[in-house]
Amino acid sequence: MSLYDIPLRTLSGDPTTLAAYEGKVVLVVNVASKCGLTPQYEGLERLQKQYGDRGFTVLGVPCNQFGGQEPGTAEEIGTFCSATYGVTFPLLEKTDVNGPGRHPLYAELTKTADAAGEAGDVQWNFEKFLISPQGEVTRFRPRTEPESAELVAAIEANLPA
């Protein structure tokens, strides 16, 4: 099964897959509303606005596995993201990214090593996986800011012509 075939659900509970984004650059990020890294939503939204019309999207994946920092319901998460950070990018339902209940999407994504050559579990909220239009994955750890030079360069290098 490819990344594009894995069943997903939107924050509102509707079924979807990454096939909706095939041929685009997708930045999958596990997000949380009550984390020290939560202000990264601002940079993620700026990336969405800057590159959204060029074949790019951020895909937020709420996760409550790190310090219980995403405790809300789907409605509370959606309201927080739009009211606090003006988020316009799509959000998926709250998902486990590690452990025995790890979502199949993250079972695949976490096989990818980071720049230091380390694969495996997601370290914390706001870990980023950049999926190229060809389905190749590049991993960025949580403290990599959304608008960092290395992440922006990877996005720009993969934008469809």
Side-chain angles (χ1 to χ4, degrees):
M1 177 183 302
S2 89
L3 282 174
Y4 297 104
D5 300 324
I6 297 171
L8 304 168
R9 290 202 169 274
T10 65
L11 189 61
S12 60
D14 296 323
T16 190
T17 66
L18 289 179
Y21 308 103
E22 199 162 1
K24 294 185 176 187
V25 180
V26 181
L27 184 64
V28 179
V29 185
N30 61 301
V31 295
S33 302
K34 300 184 183 309
C35 175
L37 300 177
T38 300
Q40 286 193 20
Y41 268 122
E42 294 172 355
L44 293 170
E45 182 60 23
R46 283 191 295 268
L47 290 175
Q48 182 69 34
K49 289 194 179 328
Q50 183 172 357
Y51 298 109
D53 61 353
R54 295 176 57 195
F56 169 82
T57 192
V58 174
L59 187 61
V61 184
C63 178
N64 196 40
Q65 288 189 290
F66 302 100
Q69 296 179 344
E70 188 59 276
T73 64
E75 185 176 331
E76 289 167 339
I77 293 167
T79 298
F80 171 82
C81 289
S82 62
T84 309
Y85 291 103
V87 167
T88 61
F89 55 81
L91 296 166
L92 297 180
E93 69 181 353
K94 198 184 305 187
T95 300
D96 282 355
V97 300
N98 288 335
R102 182 190 326 247
H103 191 281
L105 175 63
Y106 275 88
E108 287 302 310
L109 292 175
T110 56
K111 292 177 184 176
T112 301
D114 62 13
E118 295 181 31
D121 283 353
V122 170
Q123 291 179 340
W124 198 253
N125 301 310
F126 292 88
E127 188 141 335
K128 299 154 197 76
F129 295 88
L130 186 71
I131 305 171
S132 77
Q134 297 75 35
E136 297 159 347
V137 180
T138 306
R139 185 175 194 163
F140 298 89
R141 293 299 184 173
R143 295 205 176 274
T144 302
E145 288 290 331
E147 296 172 295
S148 67
E150 65 266 32
L151 185 49
V152 168
I155 291 168
E156 289 180 350
N158 283 287
L159 288 173

